[in-house]
Amino acid sequence: MNKHDFPKIHFYDQDFVDIYDKTWNWLSEFWINPETGENDPDGYFIYPSKGKFILDQNESIFSSFFLVYSNRNYSANANIDYFYKRQEANGAIRWKYDTETNKPIVDKSNPEGVGLPLFAWAEFNLYHKSANKRRIKEVMPILQNYMKWIDDTFKKENGLYAAPFEASTMFNAPRKGTYYPIDFNCCMAINAAHMSALGDIINDKDLSFQYKKMYFSLKTRINGLMWDSETGFYHDLDKNEQRLPQKTIAGFWPLLAELPNADRAEILIAHLNNPATFGTEHPFPSLSADSPDFRESGEGFKGSVFPTFNFMVIKGLEKYQRYNFARECTIRHLYFILEALYPLDKKLKGDFFEAYLPGKEGPATLRGLPDFPRKRFLHYIGLSTITLMIENVIGLNISLPRKTVDWIIPNLEIMGIEKLSLKRNLITILSNKSQRGWEIQMESEKLYYFTINILDQKKKTLPIPSGKCSMLIEKL
């Protein structure tokens, strides 16, 4: 390990701390130098499959959301930069590359090899965790050319995008007949919104305006064509712009894109509580439980629970201030991850998995595909055991450029984070019960601003000086 250790978390349930620590400990197994095939922290974050070292766009973008917490022991952008370096003259970046040949891997389900267009979302998050404005200036032309390639290749006259639904990784989802996928179109909206925000950061007003316009035009079209008031859900469309019947997890991307108004969001979020649709024991299945194609065994995207999609839904709930519900679902999801890691049946070998059963503990299955779900698939699981743990269970939200830490404390418990590196500034924030009552102890090398929101009743922003300090919650 170089630099320093990973940040430590404190939580009253030690099992949650264990899976957090385990994720960091296991990570070194998957940092590989493709040229030598050896483990190397300066290599790429790769899950070896059948002896091949393949980089996947989706995995690279999503994993950056937990690698930002590694105290710079691992690069959060190495994989993403690999994709940027492969950009073609027309702006294309393909979804998978074989790192031995650096050639794209495409198949007949996705002949252009397009992935979910979320690079700008990842860059926006990297910026808030690293405050590196220079990077935005450098990657902006790449991102613009990439967006232009998608427009040139997939945009139709109605303003929506016709890309294969497989681009979202949902390979066997019952989405037959999909011409305009809800997830791909929402991801274009998410990317456009973040392109606009990145434009603001580098003070490029034209760029910011151009992408804001793109976002609002997509918002109007998605809301106008893809929302179904009968089902209270967003659906894929066929070639004739008719809504397809299936309700899949892809229908929740609009929350993250902030597309529904408050009333629609209410109706959509109700599905996450409804056991007949998406409120299964283990939240949230990839297919609605009332679908004729739903399988209790998961069968790939016919009901399995995937950490990436749970991350997407929970981040969408945050956009609508449903912090308590987001936390409750995160905790339930983490208990199922725990159960599969330490199964009660001692004959079973526990591990982290790529996908889980919707109705009981254990990994999902898929007939005819023995490699599913992938074991110890940290690219996805780290989103749950690290990012959701820090941001939704402990409740911390950190922005380096703004020098702010927001802490939403849903109930008073012993919890917090220790030695989190914020760009040459190590900070510690813990809540503890002392003889004087509940207090928050802090330690930092530099000044920052701390906003605390306790039990939705007290909200206060305070400047936190360098050194150690503590404050009593009663006094706030």
Side-chain angles (χ1 to χ4, degrees):
M1 268 300 135
N2 58 355
K3 317 279 195 320
H4 8 66
D5 293 332
F6 299 106
K8 271 194 165 63
I9 59 164
H10 293 253
F11 192 62
Y12 65 89
D13 188 329
Q14 189 54 37
D15 287 342
F16 280 24
V17 179
D18 289 346
I19 54 174
Y20 169 90
D21 291 340
K22 227 178 198 44
T23 313
W24 288 132
N25 293 341
W26 277 344
L27 210 56
S28 61
E29 295 173 26
F30 300 99
W31 282 83
I32 295 168
N33 176 339
E35 285 169 22
T36 61
E38 301 292 314
N39 288 109
D40 178 357
D42 296 324
Y44 295 108
F45 186 23
I46 299 176
Y47 188 89
S49 95
K50 303 188 179 85
K52 275 192 164 354
F53 298 133
I54 289 164
L55 275 186
D56 174 301
Q57 175 179 333
N58 214 46
E59 292 163 16
S60 299
I61 286 173
F62 274 104
S63 59
S64 74
F65 282 85
F66 69 86
L67 293 173
V68 291
Y69 290 113
S70 79
N71 278 358
R72 295 195 299 287
N73 287 308
Y74 291 109
S75 162
N77 53 280
N79 278 25
I80 291 175
D81 292 343
Y82 176 94
F83 284 87
Y84 294 166
K85 287 192 189 96
R86 303 284 157 316
Q87 188 167 45
E88 295 161 35
N90 62 356
I93 297 175
R94 314 294 173 176
W95 67 339
K96 287 175 197 164
Y97 291 89
D98 180 335
T99 57
E100 285 170 65
T101 60
N102 291 327
K103 294 263 187 303
I105 299 170
V106 296
D107 58 33
K108 59 178 193 299
S109 74
N110 186 358
E112 286 285 344
V114 68
L116 284 183
L118 290 168
F119 286 117
W121 179 45
E123 289 295 343
F124 182 78
N125 184 57
L126 287 173
Y127 171 70
H128 279 283
K129 301 295 182 281
S130 72
N132 183 350
K133 195 183 277 194
R134 199 176 80 227
R135 176 177 171 86
I136 297 177
K137 290 193 165 123
E138 286 163 7
V139 303
M140 213 56 190
I142 300 169
L143 298 180
Q144 285 173 272
N145 290 337
Y146 174 65
M147 291 289 267
K148 185 179 180 308
W149 168 66
I150 292 179
D151 265 6
D152 294 345
T153 317
F154 301 102
K155 195 174 187 177
K156 298 299 174 207
E157 279 172 13
N158 61 3
L160 291 175
Y161 295 85
F165 76 80
E166 287 85 353
S168 67
T169 74
M170 295 177 68
F171 58 91
N172 73 334
R175 297 172 72 181
K176 205 169 148 5
T178 296
Y179 188 73
Y180 299 106
I182 177 66
D183 42 11
F184 192 90
N185 281 278
C186 286
C187 288
M188 274 306 271
I190 291 166
N191 219 46
H194 288 92
M195 288 290 281
S196 175
L198 294 173
D200 286 333
I201 291 165
I202 57 174
N203 232 341
D204 187 328
K205 299 281 178 277
D206 295 342
L207 205 122
S208 170
F209 178 71
Q210 172 198 342
Y211 287 107
K212 197 164 273 163
K213 208 168 101 187
M214 181 178 182
Y215 167 77
F216 281 111
S217 116
L218 264 168
K219 178 176 181 167
T220 307
R221 288 176 170 85
I222 293 169
N223 277 329
L225 292 166
M226 297 174 137
W227 171 259
D228 188 314
S229 46
E230 295 283 299
T231 58
F233 207 73
Y234 286 91
H235 294 263
D236 294 321
L237 303 179
D238 67 11
K239 205 164 183 172
N240 306 318
E241 296 182 7
Q242 295 305 300
R243 288 190 288 273
L244 291 163
Q246 294 283 18
K247 295 189 292 292
T248 72
I249 194 82
F252 292 102
W253 278 102
L255 290 175
L256 188 59
E258 294 183 73
L259 304 182
N261 60 23
D263 294 343
R264 275 187 189 178
E266 189 81 33
I267 296 166
L268 185 58
I269 291 168
H271 280 289
L272 298 170
N273 251 330
N274 179 356
T277 54
F278 290 91
T280 46
E281 282 293 304
H282 186 174
F284 306 101
S286 43
L287 180 65
S288 179
D290 62 2
S291 160
D293 292 294
F294 178 80
R295 297 289 175 269
E296 283 289 347
S297 56
E299 284 296 308
F301 284 91
K302 293 179 179 173
S304 312
V305 176
F306 290 83
T308 31
F309 291 98
N310 276 15
F311 178 74
M312 172 271 287
V313 171
I314 283 161
K315 294 294 142 195
L317 287 170
E318 271 182 27
K319 298 279 184 196
Y320 290 85
Q321 282 82 50
R322 303 299 167 84
Y323 302 114
N324 285 347
F325 183 47
R327 181 178 201 250
E328 185 190 308
C329 297
T330 301
I331 289 175
R332 270 170 54 204
H333 170 52
L334 285 168
Y335 275 123
F336 278 96
I337 289 175
L338 261 170
E339 300 273 351
L341 180 61
Y342 304 117
L344 287 174
D345 181 346
K346 292 292 165 257
K347 291 195 285 290
L348 296 173
K349 200 166 158 16
D351 215 314
F352 284 153
F353 295 94
E354 170 184 15
Y356 293 87
L357 294 168
K360 54 177 194 276
E361 57 275 359
T365 57
L366 177 53
R367 279 191 307 269
L369 201 61
D371 295 345
F372 179 88
R374 288 171 282 188
K375 268 189 189 147
R376 202 159 298 184
F377 194 66
L378 301 184
H379 287 74
Y380 285 3
I381 210 88
L383 289 166
S384 307
T385 57
I386 293 172
T387 313
L388 293 181
M389 190 62 217
I390 292 173
E391 295 177 5
N392 294 84
V393 177
I394 293 172
L396 289 167
N397 189 341
I398 291 148
S399 165
L400 268 194
R402 297 186 188 131
K403 289 199 182 69
T404 57
V405 177
D406 291 353
W407 197 7
I408 294 173
I409 302 187
N411 33 18
L412 290 171
E413 290 154 0
I414 295 173
M415 60 179 181
I417 198 158
E418 197 180 335
K419 302 253 183 294
L420 171 65
S421 157
L422 292 184
K423 199 186 181 190
R424 296 187 287 285
N425 181 14
L426 285 176
I427 68 161
T428 294
I429 303 174
L430 299 170
S431 67
N432 261 319
K433 195 161 191 188
S434 68
Q435 284 153 344
R436 302 185 303 159
W438 280 97
E439 65 177 348
I440 294 175
Q441 297 160 338
M442 314 207 183
E443 189 174 344
S444 161
E445 296 162 16
K446 293 194 179 81
L447 170 105
Y448 66 95
Y449 294 90
F450 180 68
T451 301
I452 183 164
N453 181 344
I454 304 172
L455 314 172
D456 273 343
Q457 289 154 13
K458 302 176 177 177
K459 190 173 177 187
K460 201 160 179 139
T461 300
L462 307 156
I464 300 300
S466 56
K468 286 186 175 183
C469 67
S470 75
M471 52 190 181
L472 282 172
I473 286 178
E474 271 96 75
K475 295 267 166 69
L476 283 180

